[in-house]
Amino acid sequence: MLKIPRGTRDFTSEEMQKRRYVEEVMRKTFETFGYKQVQTPTFETLELFTAKSGDTIIEELYSFADKGGRDLALRPELTAPVIRFYVEKLQMEPKPLKLYYFGNCYRYDRPQKGRYREFKQAGCEIIGTDTAEANAELIAMAYKVLENAGVKKLVLNIGNLNILSSLFSQFKLTKDQQKYLIPLIDKSMFEDVFNALRDFNIKKEDASILTEILQTSDIKKIENLIMDEIAEKELQELKNIVSLIEKSFGIKNYQIKMSIVRGLDYYRGVVFEIEAPSLGAEKQLCGGGAYELIKLFGGKETPTAGFAIGFDRTILALELENYEFPNPTLDVFIIPVTEDMVEKSLNIAQNLREKGIKVDIDLLRRGVGKSLKYASSLNSKKAMIVGPEELEKDSVTIRNMKTGKQELKKISDILK
Ligand code: HAM
């Protein structure tokens, strides 16, 4: 038997119903914030993804040479593609440019629950502004998209990479030393961070300051620990952002978390992540922040920020929280009682469909009893029984599938 590739999934019609519902809610939320949808290709030139991250990223990609010998890759994310699109075609658009997208992404990850090789992202990019209000609105929108989709337990963590890098330069850490520290910070292994700093000959007090800043969510404490001017300015901006998030958007359950480093190489400045604790190991639902790619891709420098939500993980979180997804329903199931009734029944079905009504019809020529059973398995609200005696009176029997109540109705009245 042929099997589905590792890390990919098929979706049943019930799953697709849930996915479509969640996508619709997300789309509506993006649009209430003035974002407009764009779409980019599923594959891009490999260079688009190695330009910032270098060749090491190839390990994590589905990359290949096509028949013309071009090096291509299935997109692992959509930020680089959207910025490529912007630089190629959208630079003259009025700013800020607010773009959102849905798209499948491909990563050569080790699959597990919540982590796939093919997965879907819902994301957005805002181009042309880096005011506190732009960043606050972006972060609040990420939160609202998930909240409106129905996820109840969410944790929003906000950090700032410029503060971290100014501390790194204050302590004169080399690029290699920073590279060594980042994965440790990412995994919250703060003792190891401290020991590594000591190994790099950083004074005990300084090593403590850095590890303290990484661990506390008390903004005042961070303020007292910071000595560098750039970091102070960035912290003030962060304070403005969180104040807006709280006061204007009513989001209270956020935390300052300076240990957010983000996996991708293009971030600068404010960064954030949203978690659903119910998901366990793969609990990160959303990640984003401010980043720099435009200049690298040959465009005129302008600020950019964005985020992407793991669509599949959102569905998983909703399922774990027992979210009641709307049930798929059919408006009416039509049952021709005899073969002679088929033509008229198909015609009624077609007339109703043209009015946007969801109609199915018995295509197996089974009896009324079996058809009614099938209709209830389809969750049909009504059944329409088309029999010879009824037809003589230009009528049909309409059965309410919930109550079982039946009544004779004129076909012309139904179509009206
Ligand atoms: P990311 O954190 O790599 O960021 O991915 C965003 C989200 O995609 C994650 O939080 C997670 O929910 C989901 N995700 C990532 N990998 C997988 C996987 N293997 N299986 C299932 N879900 C996954 C980005 O991709 C950035 N482009 C976000 C961004 C947009 N930054 C600025 N603009």
Side-chain angles (χ1 to χ4, degrees):
M1 195 168 63
L2 295 174
K3 289 221 174 100
I4 192 169
R6 190 163 137 80
T8 67
R9 289 150 304 149
D10 296 313
F11 298 108
T12 62
S13 61
E14 287 80 14
E15 285 163 334
M16 282 311 294
Q17 175 84 16
K18 290 182 185 177
R19 292 172 74 84
R20 269 181 37 198
Y21 168 74
V22 172
E23 180 171 332
E24 212 36 58
V25 176
M26 289 181 167
R27 181 191 314 283
K28 277 199 188 123
T29 309
F30 283 131
E31 294 195 353
T32 60
F33 279 83
Y35 278 72
K36 296 196 173 115
Q37 189 169 9
V38 288
Q39 190 172 313
T40 60
T42 309
F43 60 85
E44 296 273 355
T45 60
L46 177 62
E47 203 190 342
L48 184 72
F49 305 109
T50 54
K52 186 84 204 176
S53 310
D55 284 353
T56 47
I57 200 181
I58 297 176
E59 295 277 288
E60 296 160 37
L61 295 179
Y62 275 89
S63 57
F64 55 97
D66 74 1
K67 293 189 175 67
R70 301 168 193 90
D71 285 326
L72 302 173
L74 297 182
R75 61 181 175 209
E77 55 110 37
L78 282 107
T79 304
V82 168
I83 296 305
R84 181 221 18 92
F85 180 23
Y86 168 77
V87 171
E88 271 191 89
K89 300 209 181 88
L90 307 174
Q91 288 199 74
M92 301 311 282
E93 295 285 313
K95 304 287 180 320
L97 193 55
K98 290 174 150 184
L99 308 173
Y100 81 88
Y101 49 79
F102 290 93
N104 280 357
C105 301
Y106 303 83
R107 295 185 189 178
Y108 200 72
D109 259 336
R110 189 171 325 138
Q112 62 183 75
K113 198 170 173 68
R115 198 203 290 167
Y116 313 100
R117 288 184 170 171
E118 182 189 56
F119 62 97
K120 179 168 166 162
Q121 281 190 345
C124 72
E125 313 299 337
I126 180 162
I127 303 170
T129 171
D130 59 359
T131 57
E133 52 272 35
N135 283 318
E137 189 192 64
L138 178 82
I139 298 171
M141 178 169 75
Y143 193 89
K144 296 287 173 193
V145 168
L146 289 165
E147 197 177 60
N148 292 349
V151 187
K152 290 222 167 61
K153 288 202 197 89
L154 293 169
V155 179
L156 166 61
N157 294 314
I158 309 172
N160 183 307
L161 289 177
N162 290 347
I163 296 180
L164 198 62
S165 51
S166 83
L167 288 165
F168 282 168
S169 35
Q170 197 183 318
F171 297 143
K172 302 200 169 50
L173 294 175
T174 64
K175 281 270 170 276
D176 282 343
Q177 289 171 335
Q178 297 181 22
K179 252 196 183 145
Y180 180 81
L181 287 173
I182 281 175
L184 298 178
I185 297 173
D186 189 33
K187 292 189 192 96
S188 302
M189 295 163 76
F190 302 117
E191 227 180 280
D192 295 5
V193 172
F194 181 84
N195 293 335
L197 288 169
R198 296 289 291 135
D199 289 346
F200 300 153
N201 286 326
I202 305 294
K203 278 194 293 185
K204 203 170 169 189
E205 306 88 84
D206 287 345
S208 310
I209 288 179
L210 189 65
T211 41
E212 188 71 39
I213 288 175
L214 291 174
Q215 286 178 82
T216 182
S217 56
D218 183 346
I219 214 162
K220 284 219 177 70
K221 202 167 178 186
I222 300 173
E223 210 166 9
N224 292 334
L225 291 170
I226 279 176
M227 295 162 280
D228 172 83
E229 216 175 283
I230 301 170
E232 266 171 23
K233 218 177 117 237
E234 291 285 342
L235 191 69
Q236 186 51 48
E237 190 67 0
L238 189 61
K239 274 165 79 178
N240 295 341
I241 293 171
V242 295
S243 160
L244 289 171
I245 286 176
E246 196 169 327
K247 294 199 181 108
S248 305
F249 296 96
I251 298 168
K252 298 221 160 48
N253 62 331
Y254 66 84
Q255 261 182 32
I256 298 295
K257 196 172 171 187
M258 287 300 164
S259 61
I260 297 185
V261 286
R262 307 283 304 128
L264 301 152
D265 298 307
Y266 46 57
Y267 291 102
R268 300 280 175 277
V270 64
V271 281
F272 66 99
E273 291 176 350
I274 304 177
E275 294 172 353
S278 58
L279 285 177
E282 299 300 325
K283 63 183 175 189
Q284 197 188 303
L285 277 187
C286 171
Y291 59 90
E292 284 169 10
L293 276 177
I294 290 189
K295 234 174 129 196
L296 182 72
F297 293 169
K300 189 166 162 280
E301 183 130 47
T302 187
T304 41
F307 65 78
I309 290 174
F311 189 85
D312 310 271
R313 290 186 192 174
T314 308
I315 303 274
L316 275 179
L318 288 169
E319 285 170 348
L320 283 166
E321 289 183 358
N322 292 319
Y323 182 78
E324 290 214 16
F325 289 93
N327 253 337
T329 51
L330 188 68
D331 293 316
V332 59
F333 188 81
I334 302 184
I335 307 168
V337 174
T338 66
E339 233 180 285
D340 297 344
M341 305 292 113
V342 167
E343 186 187 309
K344 186 69 192 169
S345 300
L346 284 170
N347 180 251
I348 296 173
Q350 196 45 35
N351 275 313
L352 289 174
R353 284 170 182 149
E354 274 158 26
K355 293 181 195 299
I357 292 168
K358 286 194 268 178
V359 184
D360 201 354
I361 183 164
D362 175 40
L363 298 172
L364 274 177
R365 299 187 188 169
R366 54 193 147 191
V368 175
K370 277 191 182 153
S371 285
L372 284 174
K373 242 187 176 166
Y374 182 64
S376 62
S377 80
L378 297 178
N379 218 358
S380 187
K381 292 181 202 154
K382 293 196 161 96
M384 178 189 293
I385 301 160
V386 186
E389 287 141 46
E390 289 103 322
L391 261 198
E392 258 170 38
K393 294 178 226 145
D394 282 324
S395 299
V396 290
T397 300
I398 300 289
R399 180 186 175 94
N400 181 318
M401 293 297 290
K402 215 175 193 173
T403 61
K405 216 179 117 215
Q406 298 199 160
E407 56 183 333
L408 203 65
K409 282 238 160 153
K410 279 247 177 278
I411 297 173
S412 54
D413 287 346
I414 292 170
L415 294 181
K416 243 188 256 156

